[in-house]
Amino acid sequence: MRLALFDKGRLGLVEGEDLVDVTDQVAGADTAGPAGVLQQHIEAVAAGAAVRFDLTGRARVPLARAPLGAPLPRPGKIIGAPVNYLDHKAEMEYATSVADLGVFLKSNSSVIGPGEDIVLPYTDKRTDQEGELGVVIGRTASHVSVDEALDHVFGYTCLLDITVRSGEDRSTRKSFDTFTPIGPWIVTADEIPDPDSLDLRCDVAGSTRQRTNTADLIFGVRELVAYASSVMTLRPGDVIATGTPAGVGPLSHGDRVVLEIERIGRLEVGVDGSRATPYAQRPGRRNH
């Protein structure tokens, strides 16, 4: 299934070129809160509910006219995998990779959905796009093995890990509001037999910057879920950003960023630099 949030938080199932509203078939949908109805559905499935959506006689909305939002507007955790492609390691001249660095956390307030804008914070610090496969956890996972890892995955999505090239820790440079576009929907795991064999392409301003296959990940999806679960308990609805390939580059006001992943979909967002300020004017800056 492809599951999306639309029309201010309603849950839709994608069928062909249409979206079918199934919000009322999710228990507790009316009290879902900021985490959203899809989070409610993921938790119900994790608890063992046999959820089968009945589409009989339901009205259909053309996808082209459906205002989509982030499928998980406030995930419990967003976990990032730094330097998880060898070509990106070479590009950035890093001496280390995910195997040495481990994982990092991004703020869940950085999430936006399709059609929204990445807001550039600084006029004089480069802000880059990083196109990535996103993994959505479906069952609580703690110290799971590599062989068991995919049993704990609910589905997959497109994710952009936006990054300021400055001196702060990754969790700061990647956690600005709007810095984690997710969408356009979540594709359930049964639709993706092998997440380590998906073509990925990211275009900025009409030019292709990144093109890879997830087969080139240093830690594949299985290894990444197993590793992350050895550090922290993964909960239903948590999102893992699996890392970016070579081709990261600066974003400018007015750019359109398009990420396409095979079997998953196409995520498009804009870039707004109209509110950017000089880096030296950031709060807490002192002259020494």
Side-chain angles (χ1 to χ4, degrees), residues 23 31 36 41 79 88 92 98 103 126 137 206 277 279:
T23 309
T31 59
H41 172 65
I79 301 160
H88 181 54
M92 302 301 288
V98 63
V103 292
R126 192 174 123 180
I137 298 301
T277 59
Y279 182 67

Side-chain angles (χ1 to χ4, degrees), residues 198-213:
L198 300 172
D199 288 331
L200 179 154
R201 169 179 166 174
C202 188
D203 294 355
V204 177
S207 297
T208 298
R209 286 193 181 174
Q210 296 180 286
R211 189 190 293 271
T212 193
N213 188 284

Side-chain angles (χ1 to χ4, degrees), residues 18-127:
D18 294 330
L19 201 56
V20 185
D21 191 334
V22 294
T23 309
D24 62 350
Q25 297 184 43
V26 177
D30 55 344
T31 59
V37 181
L38 185 46
Q39 175 71 38
Q40 291 280 101
H41 172 65
I42 294 171
E43 290 178 1
V45 172
V51 180
R52 294 182 61 86
F53 293 117
D54 182 2
L55 309 185
T56 306
R58 291 188 168 258
R60 294 169 178 266
V61 179
L63 264 175
R65 297 208 315 262
L68 299 181
L72 290 169
R74 192 176 294 179
K77 293 192 289 294
I78 304 170
I79 301 160
V83 199
N84 200 20
Y85 284 90
L86 288 174
D87 60 357
H88 181 54
K89 178 181 177 182
E91 168 186 56
M92 302 301 288
E93 299 182 346
Y94 287 129
T96 53
S97 74
V98 63
D100 313 288
L101 297 169
V103 292
F104 61 90
L105 295 173
K106 297 188 67 168
S107 171
N108 63 4
S109 59
S110 65
V111 171
I112 60 171
E116 297 187 64
D117 286 339
I118 298 161
V119 177
L120 304 181
Y122 301 124
T123 56
D124 51 351
K125 288 292 183 183
R126 192 174 123 180
T127 298

